[in-house]
Amino acid sequence: MIFDQSDDDEYVGPPVDAEMIRQAEDVLQVRLPKSYVDLLSMQNGGVLRNRCFPTEFPTSWARDHICVDVIRGVGGEEGVEIVSADMIDEWEYPDIGVVFGVTPSAGHDTVMLDYSECGPLGEPAVAYIDEDRVPRRLASSFAEFVSGLVSCRTFGEDED
């Protein structure tokens, strides 16, 4: 399981069903990636066990990686369909898709499903949005992103 098994995780949403996914997709006006939906069917969002993702570019977080604390699920108060559009507006992120990652900076940077090349029904890439608001590709798919997450100890950071 990629999620940390905490009893008090405010980011864990209610159990996912097909109707919740359909409603989220209707609000977001995109088709969510199958790998994301499959993950949410096991646990609907939450705090990650491995929180770092290596990058080939420097970021405001580090010279060679980013940190993502949480993957948002659907439904509930913290669902992507509830918060994504507001976060794009509030933080002036590029309107390329869906904000699904929560970073330690609490909004100064984020991780998004990027539909800019594939369109709303395609398989989105995963992009990192830094303080300069320029999308930088992290992975060509959500599945690739999840499989690339590593322990932050890899970079000499604590896991808490």
Side-chain angles (χ1 to χ4, degrees):
M1 178 54 89
I2 74 159
F3 294 110
D4 188 6
Q5 299 302 305
S6 173
D7 291 337
D8 61 349
D9 188 345
E10 68 185 276
Y11 291 100
V12 176
V16 172
D17 61 28
E19 180 61 17
M20 287 173 66
I21 297 299
R22 188 196 63 72
Q23 287 176 355
E25 290 176 334
D26 284 351
V27 169
L28 295 165
Q29 302 280 302
V30 298
R31 183 178 345 192
L32 295 170
K34 182 179 181 326
S35 55
Y36 177 70
V37 172
D38 289 347
L39 178 66
L40 299 185
S41 69
M42 291 186 280
Q43 179 175 314
N44 189 7
V47 174
L48 293 167
R49 177 174 289 144
N50 291 323
R51 300 177 183 175
C52 285
F53 191 91
T55 63
E56 295 181 5
F57 50 85
T59 71
S60 59
W61 181 258
R63 65 178 172 73
D64 59 357
H65 68 283
I66 64 163
C67 184
V68 181
D69 290 331
V70 170
I71 290 178
R72 291 182 187 277
V74 297
E77 294 178 18
E78 296 294 330
V80 292
E81 77 281 16
I82 304 298
V83 301
S84 182
D86 288 342
M87 292 189 73
I88 289 169
D89 287 343
E90 178 182 350
W91 289 97
E92 299 179 348
Y93 299 142
D95 193 6
I96 59 171
V98 178
V99 176
F100 75 86
V102 178
T103 65
S105 72
H108 295 281
D109 63 346
T110 197
V111 181
M112 296 179 71
L113 296 172
D114 178 0
Y115 289 84
S116 61
E117 291 182 16
C118 67
L121 301 179
E123 178 70 20
V126 173
Y128 173 70
I129 312 301
D130 208 340
E131 293 175 344
D132 62 5
R133 301 304 182 245
V134 174
R136 291 174 176 83
R137 182 173 284 201
L138 294 175
S140 59
S141 68
F142 182 79
E144 182 183 311
F145 172 75
V146 169
S147 68
L149 289 166
V150 297
S151 168
C152 293
R153 289 189 183 100
T154 304
F155 302 100
E157 295 179 20
D158 290 333
E159 285 294 324
D160 55 9

